Amino acid sequence: MARLNSHYAALHGSYLFSEIAGRIQSHTVANPGRKLIRLGIGDVTQPLVPAVVAALSMAVTEQGTPEGFRGYGPEQGYGFLREAIARSCYDGLGISPDDIFVSDGAKCDIGNFQEVFSRSCRVAITDPVYPVYADSNVMAGRAGRMQKNGRYAKLIYLPCTAENGFIPELPGERPDIIYLCSPNNPTGTALRREHLARWVAYAREREAVILFDAAYEGYIRSKDVPHSIYEIEGADEVAVEFRSYSKSAGFTGLRCGFAVIPASARGKGAFGRHVPLREFWLRRQTTKYNGCPYIVQRAAEAVHSPKGRAQTRAAIDVYMDNAARIRQAFMDLGLAVFGGVDAPYVWVALPTGTDSWDFFDRLLREIDVVGTPGSGFGPCGQGYFRFTGFGSPEDTREAATRIKSLKV
Ligand code: PLP
């Protein structure tokens, strides 16, 4: 019988969202007829905007004609989309269409990218963290065993707490690969220019690579929060950036994202030779990936059009209004609240000594509202709770009223 990848056995317990689903299921069976409001899982609720729908339908029609039909596309993505991205997201930052690799979403890219690195690389992640960074490295055998303290033995953890404003500090141990996410899921906080500059300088000095997850770039409002890591000088040599249309344009079902790998970003190859990271990623993608669908890439292109930008911005505004409403509800309860300003996530500090899962159960039992326990994102998330602004405005308004009725 084929031996299985033993590293999978090192993966930590159950997936956070299946545990949540289980508890919701028991609650609804025990309490039929009560209206549950879900502000937990991070899926969007606003429909695709008209500019995207029009581009999508046009591309579908095109595919049904002999002249317009397209089969396999370029693995790196169609030129029309890569050009639109370079122009609309990276104008003046020295990023060219050749640096852009279109895909079916940021999760796959981020999960897969670690494959181009040696198994011996040391990996740094924040705590709390978007679980993909940790789990994909566990599967690859880079993380070691889960310890009693809820951390993998070989990963380098960057604690993010209220004390450091959820800004990861430079580690004592030298990592080869550093995952940064800004605006951050789950804490909703964002790295300002000075923070990002410190990390880029560190990566350059220590010859590390930063894998920069900018899936929530579209939510940035503050002037001193960079939209791209390439706004920091020298980042092109040490950073790969990941973006997604999921949360910025409602593509969670349609699926499209991209990675930016400047020609100057390098890793150490055989005999210590400095090899462009892009060569390895291109080899990986051409071997294992056959490209994002043409119709989806046309839809993504439309996001960058003037109409597409305005319409998607309006949808993001809806989510940000929701986030502001949730923020206010918890502030009215006298709790410390983070995030929700440059991100759709609101990170609530629970009253001292409150366990995140206990609070989850209490919210469900008392006001039928679902959120996500902070401890599900790492030990430093204990005592915190995450809400998303992705619900409908009506549900969010009602949830805010219910939240204000809580006794804390
Ligand atoms: N990165 C972060 C931080 C996310 O929260 C998400 C989605 O929830 C993704 C990436 C995944 O994006 P995509 O839908 O493009 O795979």
Side-chain angles (χ1 to χ4, degrees):
M1 203 179 281
R3 291 266 304 266
L4 297 171
N5 178 348
S6 61
H7 301 307
Y8 278 54
L11 283 167
H12 180 44
S14 71
Y15 185 55
L16 171 63
F17 292 108
S18 37
E19 175 64 29
I20 291 175
R23 292 191 189 206
I24 293 174
Q25 166 76 5
S26 316
H27 174 77
T28 35
V29 169
N31 302 281
R34 272 162 62 170
K35 186 186 172 203
L36 197 68
I37 302 181
R38 294 170 193 262
L39 303 180
I41 297 183
D43 201 354
V44 291
T45 47
Q46 294 287 305
L48 294 172
V49 300
V52 165
V53 174
L56 202 51
S57 341
M58 212 154 79
V60 170
T61 306
E62 232 187 308
Q63 284 284 68
T65 63
E67 333 54 74
F69 173 73
R70 316 237 188 164
Y72 291 124
E75 289 95 344
Q76 199 177 333
Y78 283 99
F80 62 78
L81 179 55
R82 291 188 287 116
E83 279 155 26
I85 293 168
R87 225 180 11 252
S88 107
C89 305
Y90 297 102
D91 189 33
L93 299 182
I95 298 298
S96 84
D98 289 345
D99 301 332
I100 293 159
F101 291 72
V102 176
S103 71
D104 57 359
K107 188 176 186 178
C108 328
D109 282 350
I110 295 163
N112 292 331
F113 205 83
Q114 48 76 30
E115 281 184 30
V116 306
F117 299 108
S118 150
R119 192 144 79 84
S120 65
C121 281
R122 294 294 309 279
V123 173
I125 58 166
T126 59
D127 173 9
V129 73
Y130 176 57
V132 179
Y133 314 152
D135 289 359
S136 55
N137 280 290
V138 173
M139 290 168 170
R142 259 181 227 107
R145 297 245 154 247
M146 172 59 76
Q147 305 167 108
K148 282 211 179 70
N149 63 4
R151 290 179 165 182
Y152 289 101
K154 291 199 207 154
L155 296 183
I156 298 170
Y157 285 88
L158 312 168
C160 291
T161 60
E163 285 69 48
N164 59 21
F166 304 97
I167 305 302
E169 285 157 33
L170 305 177
E173 280 180 277
R174 191 194 86 86
D176 300 289
I177 305 165
I178 302 156
Y179 288 85
L180 294 178
C181 176
S182 176
N184 191 268
N185 178 10
T187 68
T189 49
L191 297 173
R192 292 200 305 274
R193 197 167 304 277
E194 82 215 54
H195 304 131
L196 212 45
R198 200 182 312 145
W199 275 104
V200 168
Y202 176 84
R204 291 175 64 85
E205 195 183 296
R206 309 291 171 106
E207 297 196 319
V209 171
I210 297 175
L211 300 183
F212 187 70
D213 184 346
Y216 297 96
E217 174 276 333
Y219 290 79
I220 296 173
R221 296 284 192 272
S222 304
K223 285 238 161 15
D224 59 348
V225 172
H227 286 244
S228 164
I229 196 165
Y230 304 116
E231 290 179 37
I232 309 296
E233 206 177 320
D236 60 305
E237 293 180 6
V238 292
V240 174
E241 179 164 299
F242 301 94
R243 292 226 196 155
S244 166
Y245 293 92
S246 284
K247 306 297 164 64
S248 55
F251 276 45
T252 51
L254 213 49
R255 311 299 310 144
C256 192
F258 58 90
V260 183
I261 317 172
S264 39
R266 285 160 198 271
K268 206 178 278 175
F271 311 111
R273 215 163 50 88
H274 287 191
V275 181
L277 283 177
R278 183 205 278 185
E279 273 181 25
F280 271 51
W281 185 243
L282 184 63
R283 187 70 175 88
R284 192 263 171 212
Q285 291 297 77
T286 48
T287 302
K288 297 192 177 180
Y289 185 58
N290 254 343
C292 175
Y294 170 73
I295 57 173
V296 175
Q297 293 191 56
R298 280 293 183 200
E301 181 191 25
V303 172
H304 301 288
S305 68
K307 269 193 193 155
R309 277 162 172 265
Q311 292 167 356
T312 51
R313 173 79 186 190
I316 289 176
D317 286 346
V318 169
Y319 300 136
M320 289 305 276
D321 284 351
N322 288 343
R325 196 159 271 124
I326 300 166
R327 251 182 87 84
Q328 192 57 50
F330 280 102
M331 286 187 330
D332 288 352
L333 286 184
L335 298 182
V337 184
F338 306 90
V341 175
D342 293 302
Y345 296 111
V346 175
W347 189 244
V348 179
L350 302 176
T352 312
T354 310
D355 174 85
S356 301
W357 277 110
D358 286 349
F359 191 71
F360 174 91
D361 291 334
R362 205 186 140 200
L363 274 188
L364 202 53
R365 197 174 55 242
E366 294 182 13
I367 58 170
D368 297 272
V369 168
V370 179
T372 311
S375 55
F377 299 99
C380 284
Q382 178 58 276
Y384 291 92
F385 211 78
R386 190 194 78 170
F387 290 94
T388 82
F390 292 126
S392 71
E394 300 72 41
D395 278 359
T396 308
R397 257 195 296 276
E398 186 174 338
T401 308
R402 292 187 194 177
I403 288 165
K404 286 185 202 169
S405 71
L406 276 174
K407 300 266 170 300
V408 295

